[in-house]
Amino acid sequence: MTFVTNIKRRFIFFANRMKILPLLITSSSKNQSLSKDFIIFDTALHSGNLGDEIIMHYCNSILNQLDIHEKKHIPTHQPPQATDLPFLKENTMKIVAGTNIVSDRENRDYIWHKPAVRYLKNLCLMGVGLNDYSTEFSFYSRLFYRKLLAPSMLHSVRDSFTEKTLHAIGIKNVINTSCPTMWNLTSDFCRDIPRKKADSVVTTLTDYNKSKEFDFFLLDTLIKEYRNVFIWIQGDKDFSYLESYQNFSTLKIISHSLKAYDDFLRSTDCDYVGTRLHAGIHALNNKKRSIIIAVDDRAVKIANDTNLPVIRREEIKTKLTSFIERDFATEIRIPIDSIKKWKAQF
């Protein structure tokens, strides 16, 4: 380790430690009367991952149904601007909308680029999940959530593991509602999703979690199993990864926009088989038979609660072909009572 690298690491270490001071002196969120005016922490703004846009499409639809007045949308992928800060005054309720934003290391800003903690009082969670399912919360993170989550609100998380994790650090007003992208997937809705394999398939890859061994096996399998193979470019770096696939020219590209994906799903009889979680859930909402290939624990944890059709990526060599070829019913289980309970508080 060079001298400069060592100094840099020490600086980062002490800078992160110093972040605890503003949090310690910040008073906790208090009970307050609820208005219909909310700030929305929006995961789609300034994101190169269109899965975030899918999440916000469903969250915004739900908030509109609840007649919530969205005073301001503030990005989570970049620090707020100075002009945003007046909207974040202490007595304004703030909804953190459905993504894997709950972190065991909230003193770092690589997941959520937050303003100063004094602007973060009275947070309300809407269908969020853990960023990392394998580590314990730091002291800072435990204090962050205890102080800043609104005590008068019922907080919604998207899987039971996240629910239990927040309960374990003393936050009891948390319920598992599943992801807001899934709230329309009732038993009646899912009965209309085809059981039999289609002639065409749309797939996705994940640029930030690559495995050429398994990802290219997935594409090879889809080319064998389907007459037409389309691939949607959900992430802004997916295409450059895809170009390294030897049979790239056989794939039909759907461009990097949610409108392009929506238009395709509305106009094409197809299955979805791919590694992007929310591309798969969006396909289900468009009544497409879907198989989601899990590249991390997020899809698996949701599937454990909801019966979302998921295969771990490392299992596809033994399980994928038979899953594609067999008829199966889509039998999603969503916690309807918990969803109603969360909505009812507004």
Side-chain angles (χ1 to χ4, degrees):
M1 184 184 301
T2 67
F3 175 76
V4 173
T5 302
N6 188 37
I7 293 296
K8 183 178 179 181
R9 287 190 175 182
R10 287 176 177 273
F11 176 80
I12 293 171
F13 174 79
F14 285 111
N16 284 330
R17 285 295 181 92
M18 291 299 290
K19 284 188 176 181
I20 194 72
L21 297 178
L23 183 58
L24 286 171
I25 63 175
T26 298
S27 59
S28 298
S29 300
K30 295 180 172 61
N31 291 324
Q32 63 179 53
S33 58
L34 189 63
S35 75
K36 286 287 187 177
D37 292 333
F38 283 81
I39 301 299
I40 311 298
F41 279 109
D42 189 326
T43 188
L45 296 174
H46 308 289
S47 173
N49 178 1
L50 294 174
D52 292 329
E53 198 167 321
I54 290 173
I55 290 169
M56 289 309 304
H57 166 77
Y58 291 96
C59 288
N60 288 332
S61 176
I62 292 162
L63 295 174
N64 287 338
Q65 292 167 17
L66 295 173
D67 197 28
I68 283 175
H69 175 227
E70 302 164 15
K71 291 179 67 175
K72 181 76 172 176
H73 282 242
I74 294 178
T76 61
H77 285 286
Q78 72 173 30
Q81 303 298 307
T83 53
D84 295 329
L85 298 181
F87 293 93
L88 291 170
K89 60 184 181 180
E90 183 174 325
N91 63 348
T92 307
M93 195 68 72
K94 307 161 187 78
I95 292 177
V96 184
T99 185
N100 58 321
I101 203 168
V102 177
S103 173
D104 60 315
R105 295 289 183 270
E106 280 296 352
N107 54 312
R108 302 174 186 171
D109 289 336
Y110 65 96
I111 298 165
W112 179 7
H113 295 269
K114 299 178 288 294
V117 290
R118 67 181 180 275
Y119 295 111
L120 287 172
K121 291 183 181 181
N122 297 312
L123 300 177
C124 177
L125 304 180
M126 180 184 186
V128 301
L130 289 169
N131 178 259
D132 188 339
Y133 288 84
S134 62
T135 58
E136 294 184 0
F137 276 25
S138 65
F139 173 74
Y140 184 97
S141 291
R142 294 196 298 271
L143 190 62
F144 178 91
Y145 290 111
R146 287 174 185 166
K147 279 198 163 193
L148 302 180
L149 292 184
S152 58
M153 300 299 293
L154 199 55
H155 300 281
S156 153
V157 295
R158 69 187 191 184
D159 60 76
S160 58
F161 192 96
T162 303
E163 177 187 39
K164 290 172 184 174
T165 300
L166 289 174
H167 285 176
I169 64 170
I171 302 167
K172 303 301 184 182
N173 52 327
V174 177
I175 54 174
N176 172 23
T177 60
S178 73
C179 183
T181 58
M182 299 180 67
W183 290 5
N184 294 326
L185 300 179
T186 62
S187 297
D188 288 342
F189 183 94
C190 289
R191 286 192 193 100
D192 292 335
I193 297 174
R195 294 171 177 241
K196 296 183 179 295
K197 185 178 81 166
D199 290 334
S200 298
V201 67
V202 59
T203 188
T204 52
L205 297 181
T206 304
D207 63 345
Y208 61 83
N209 194 330
K210 302 173 185 175
S211 170
K212 287 189 175 182
E213 176 188 355
F214 291 108
D215 293 340
F216 293 173
F217 176 86
L218 166 63
L219 296 178
D220 289 342
T221 302
L222 297 181
I223 289 169
K224 291 174 185 175
E225 290 289 332
Y226 291 92
R227 186 175 301 168
N228 302 296
V229 180
F230 298 84
I231 183 161
W232 181 46
I233 309 302
Q234 179 179 308
D236 55 5
K237 297 180 178 63
D238 288 355
F239 187 79
S240 59
Y241 176 39
L242 181 64
E243 284 183 305
S244 63
Y245 175 56
Q246 62 182 0
N247 295 316
F248 169 77
S249 62
T250 65
L251 305 173
K252 298 174 172 65
I253 306 298
I254 303 169
S255 64
H256 178 64
S257 81
L258 184 54
K259 182 181 184 305
Y261 189 44
D262 282 339
D263 290 345
F264 172 83
L265 292 174
R266 282 194 291 265
S267 63
T268 309
D269 180 21
C270 67
D271 292 347
Y272 170 87
V273 184
T275 65
R276 293 286 192 167
L277 170 62
H278 289 101
I281 294 174
H282 195 48
L284 287 169
N285 276 279
N286 282 269
K287 298 186 177 178
K288 306 302 181 186
R289 179 178 179 265
S290 298
I291 302 169
I292 294 165
I293 312 301
V295 299
D296 55 32
D297 282 337
R298 294 173 304 138
V300 173
K301 297 301 184 187
I302 292 173
N304 288 344
D305 297 332
T306 64
N307 201 37
L308 190 69
V310 166
I311 306 175
R312 287 185 179 272
R313 181 165 60 181
E314 59 269 24
E315 297 176 333
I316 63 174
K317 291 186 178 181
T318 57
K319 294 184 177 181
L320 181 58
T321 298
S322 60
F323 204 159
I324 289 172
E325 291 180 350
R326 75 171 186 260
D327 296 353
F328 66 88
T330 301
E331 297 175 324
I332 305 294
R333 302 184 301 265
I334 59 170
I336 293 173
D337 289 343
S338 292
I339 293 168
K340 288 180 178 177
K341 193 179 294 185
W342 186 84
K343 288 180 175 180
Q345 67 189 331
F346 300 99

